[in-house]
Amino acid sequence: MRSSGPDCIHAIDFEVAQGDLCGRGRVTAFFVYCGPAVSFGTGSCLKVSLDLDKSFSKAFTSYFENAKTHKVFHNYSRAYAHFQDLGITLKGFAGDTDHMSKLCCPMLKDHSLGTL
């Protein structure tokens, strides 16, 4: 992930088990996509499944807390709350697709990532 270059934007998404919009629940997996020019060895999208004891997520703390790595989330405040539960403080915020879609297309009834 470090070799993607300083101008590369990392799109981050995650899955939550038994979660809600207030940041409660457990992050079970996260995904990183940096465009077709970046390969993680299995393609341009990296999927990381997390152990139940949260130990595997600690290996990625320096990535998520690196302010120089520009990251875009869908609903950043929800992501921030869930990753805080893992002991990770997100840094490198570059955008929030949920909020951007509401500004660009306020008449849409559904701003979910799947719809956009």
Side-chain angles (χ1 to χ4, degrees), residues 1 8-14 30-35 40 44-46 63-64 69-74 94-95 97 113:
M1 285 186 264
C8 184
I9 303 293
H10 297 224
I12 311 290
D13 196 16
F14 60 98
F30 65 84
F31 309 84
V32 180
Y33 177 75
C34 302
F40 295 102
S44 58
C45 185
L46 174 68
Y63 167 73
F64 284 111
T69 304
H70 306 293
K71 302 167 197 82
V72 173
F73 293 85
H74 186 76
T97 57
L113 194 55

Side-chain angles (χ1 to χ4, degrees), residues 36-116:
V38 174
S39 176
F40 295 102
T42 58
S44 58
C45 185
L46 174 68
K47 178 181 179 180
V48 178
S49 296
L50 301 179
D51 293 333
L52 293 176
D53 64 1
K54 302 180 186 178
S55 62
F56 192 68
S57 65
K58 297 300 179 189
F60 291 91
T61 299
S62 61
Y63 167 73
F64 284 111
E65 293 186 345
N66 183 348
K68 293 179 181 178
T69 304
H70 306 293
K71 302 167 197 82
V72 173
F73 293 85
H74 186 76
N75 195 336
Y76 176 75
S77 59
R78 182 172 178 245
Y80 190 89
H82 283 297
F83 279 90
Q84 279 291 123
D85 286 347
L86 293 172
I88 297 171
T89 302
L90 296 177
K91 296 180 184 171
F93 174 77
D96 183 324
T97 57
D98 182 42
H99 289 84
M100 286 188 268
S101 72
K102 290 174 183 173
L103 290 171
C104 290
C105 305
M107 301 307 287
L108 281 178
K109 295 189 187 292
D110 183 6
H111 294 271
S112 67
L113 194 55
T115 300
L116 298 176

Side-chain angles (χ1 to χ4, degrees), residues 5-24:
D7 296 327
C8 184
I9 303 293
H10 297 224
I12 311 290
D13 196 16
F14 60 98
E15 293 177 350
V16 176
Q18 303 166 346
D20 60 23
L21 295 177
C22 297
R24 291 178 289 262

